[in-house]
Amino acid sequence: MSTTVYLIGVPGSGKSTALAGAIDLLGWGEPKARSQPFAHSWYEDAQAVLLGKQDVPFPGTDTLSLGVNPRAVEFIQTTEAGLVVGEGDRLANKRFLCAAAGAGGAVLVTVDLPAVAAFQRMLDRANTLRVAPQQESWWNGRATKTANLRRLSCPGLRHETVDGSRPREAVAAQVADVIDNWLTAA
């Protein structure tokens, strides 16, 4: 049985940054990269898995293939890791999150940031990376998805919210606290 902590939020809310900072604060050390049945990293000392691709401009589950969901559900139901963490759009769906909740419990953490600020961060990030920004209609679709996931209900799923408008270090500390508290309660 594994506990899952999964971050959601609108694009630009700081999910990737917050999760990376939380892992640093928790002192998990360097991961051992693995890729089966899909991209994830294994943290031996923490007995934890970080879902998605790392060391790419947009880490997390966003860059996983569209067909990853069945493999991810099977993985979450069979993993021996005590903790599974992730963020991003690709696995932020009812099927995966309810499977995670049923496999040992899950907390869905919303990184909450006002839409105007998150949209500007997304534009700034695209400019910094010298890539085309996402269209506003796409961003609005992700915002609607986030709002819907905040209302998701299934047995074993809890919801937490962290304040994404605080400094990056403070947001990472909030996420680390949620992970630590969730593990303590499990």
Side-chain angles (χ1 to χ4, degrees):
M1 290 185 63
S2 63
T3 298
T4 300
V5 176
Y6 202 90
L7 275 64
I8 63 169
V10 297
S13 62
K15 301 175 299 290
S16 299
T17 301
L19 189 53
I23 288 170
D24 286 345
L25 287 171
L26 292 167
W28 289 2
E30 290 297 314
K32 295 182 180 179
R34 294 189 176 180
S35 61
Q36 297 298 325
F38 62 94
H40 67 280
S41 299
W42 172 250
Y43 288 85
E44 188 73 36
D45 294 341
Q47 295 293 298
V49 168
L50 175 60
L51 301 173
K53 295 180 181 178
Q54 308 308 312
D55 300 324
V56 293
F58 299 99
T61 68
D62 291 348
T63 56
L64 297 177
S65 76
L66 292 173
V68 73
N69 214 44
R71 292 186 311 254
V73 167
E74 181 180 349
F75 174 81
I76 202 70
Q77 292 172 333
T78 60
T79 185
E80 294 183 21
L83 175 66
V84 176
V85 295
E87 59 84 16
D89 188 62
R90 188 70 69 223
L91 296 178
N93 60 71
K94 181 178 181 178
R95 183 174 178 204
F96 176 76
L97 295 169
C98 287
V107 61
L108 191 56
V109 180
T110 302
V111 179
D112 195 25
L113 183 67
V116 172
F119 191 78
Q120 187 60 51
R121 277 190 190 172
M122 181 198 66
L123 294 175
D124 293 345
R125 178 178 58 200
N127 187 46
T128 298
L129 295 172
R130 299 181 190 270
V131 298
Q134 297 291 348
Q135 296 295 318
E136 187 172 353
S137 60
W138 174 88
W139 191 93
N140 289 333
R142 302 289 59 85
T144 298
K145 181 179 181 180
T146 297
N148 290 339
L149 286 171
R150 290 180 86 159
R151 294 187 295 273
L152 179 63
S153 176
C154 52
L157 180 67
R158 285 190 14 210
H159 290 268
E160 298 278 344
T161 301
V162 298
D163 181 0
S165 65
R166 297 181 63 199
R168 290 178 179 181
E169 298 80 14
V171 178
Q174 289 177 71
V175 171
D177 286 346
V178 169
I179 292 170
D180 195 40
N181 291 338
W182 183 245
L183 286 175
T184 303

